[in-house]
Amino acid sequence: MKRYINKVTAGAFLLLLPFSALLFTGCENDEFYYQDTDKIWLSGDPAQQATSDSTLVTFALEDKTTTTLDVNIIANLTGAMSDHDRSFKLVVVDSLTNVSSDAYELGTCVLPANQYKVTVPVKVKRTVSGIDLKKNFAKVTFRVVDDSELTPSVDDRLTYSVVWCDYLIQPESWSVISYYLGSFTQARYRFIIDQTGMTDFSAYNNNYSWIIGFQSLMIRLLQDWNNDPANANSEYGWPYLNDNGQPLKYGQGV
């Protein structure tokens, strides 16, 4: 099952600092529907935790056999619906893209009859030439340009970026547990995922009895893992290591 990443907060991860400003604006679409005529503007899929100008996904939450992910761009119409299909055109913005065309596949750019919007899938690949996705992100940015039937609409909604990587990223809901379990690290998050399957903690915001209980659970699970000789050859070290190479810990102030 494909899982997408929550909106990240400032300082969540160092590897994306040059790009972090791209990820914080909201995704409010309705106000643009009737401000123009027969034109296209772009947004992201709310189901994929999109922002107004980008969607970020990671392969790190997927099975190791997963080689592609579909990221959705929404093409929205300003103006009146038509009784026939109409094409529109998206081109790559080279200055805002760091991959070649073989790293992704853009879906069909056609607005169906009697529709105000259409989903255009972008299939991104886990292996990208020239980029180690376990350390750096890949990015492709598309822009609406003139076409014979539908043309560009709102100036600040004409481009949309798809960003992907293969390392864990701090979810917005980490703030729910950070005080009791420690600041975000990939190792701390990865151990939680491997042991509990949890990737989102928003349902437990201000539920301190659950949070304290979860803290105790993770401390015990980590102790059990470190005491098990079967883990002696683990790729994560034995004892389990944090991102800085020191033994991983859970608790306040770590």
Side-chain angles (χ1 to χ4, degrees):
M1 177 179 70
K2 294 173 182 170
R3 290 174 288 182
Y4 293 84
I5 297 300
N6 291 333
K7 301 189 194 93
V8 295
T9 55
F13 51 95
L14 295 176
L15 293 173
L16 285 180
L17 279 177
F19 183 66
S20 60
L22 192 63
L23 303 171
F24 302 114
T25 51
C27 192
E28 298 177 5
N29 301 337
D30 293 345
E31 61 185 291
F32 292 97
Y33 278 134
Y34 302 106
Q35 291 185 0
D36 211 337
T37 58
D38 301 336
K39 297 179 182 292
I40 289 291
W41 60 276
L42 304 178
S43 63
D45 187 346
Q48 295 181 347
Q49 305 298 325
T51 70
S52 65
D53 53 10
S54 63
T55 298
L56 168 65
V57 301
T58 179
F59 283 94
L61 293 177
E62 305 300 325
D63 185 272
K64 292 183 179 180
T65 61
T66 300
T67 59
T68 63
L69 289 174
D70 286 339
V71 185
N72 295 330
I73 295 178
I74 310 298
N76 306 273
L77 174 69
T78 57
M81 291 188 297
S82 173
D83 60 2
H84 67 278
D85 295 352
R86 290 181 288 179
S87 64
F88 56 93
K89 188 174 182 180
L90 300 182
V91 299
V92 174
V93 182
D94 291 335
S95 62
L96 299 175
T97 298
N98 68 352
V99 296
S100 58
S101 59
D102 59 357
Y104 61 88
E105 297 176 14
L106 178 65
T108 303
C109 297
V110 174
L111 180 67
N114 302 313
Q115 297 293 324
Y116 277 113
K117 61 183 178 180
V118 64
T119 296
V120 181
V122 181
K123 187 181 296 294
V124 299
K125 300 180 181 180
R126 194 166 197 162
T127 300
V128 175
S129 177
I131 300 178
D132 182 356
L133 292 183
K134 291 188 177 297
K135 297 179 180 180
N136 299 287
F137 67 87
K139 175 186 173 185
V140 57
T141 301
F142 298 96
R143 182 178 181 87
V144 185
V145 295
D146 286 334
D147 194 49
S148 58
E149 296 185 277
L150 294 169
T151 57
S153 181
V154 187
D155 286 344
D156 62 350
R157 296 296 183 97
L158 298 184
T159 61
Y160 201 84
S161 298
V162 173
V163 187
W164 68 102
C165 64
D166 199 1
Y167 52 84
L168 293 174
I169 300 165
Q170 178 177 325
E172 184 177 355
S173 60
W174 189 269
S175 60
V176 173
I177 63 171
S178 61
Y179 180 79
Y180 288 95
L181 277 87
S183 59
F184 174 84
T185 66
Q186 290 195 59
R188 190 166 282 133
Y189 191 29
R190 181 176 60 237
F191 190 79
I192 289 175
I193 294 171
D194 290 346
Q195 295 295 312
T196 71
M198 294 191 65
T199 60
D200 178 51
F201 314 98
S202 56
Y204 302 99
N205 190 30
N206 296 323
N207 186 342
Y208 297 109
S209 61
W210 181 89
I211 296 171
I212 293 172
F214 190 62
Q215 176 196 57
S216 298
L217 173 65
M218 295 314 303
I219 291 173
R220 179 178 61 78
L221 290 174
L222 182 59
Q223 289 174 341
D224 291 346
W225 195 95
N226 287 335
N227 290 332
D228 187 351
N231 297 317
N233 296 318
S234 169
E235 63 180 302
Y236 304 123
W238 193 54
Y240 202 103
L241 299 180
N242 207 342
D243 295 3
N244 60 6
Q246 300 298 313
L248 180 63
K249 296 179 181 178
Y250 289 102
Q252 293 174 230
V254 298

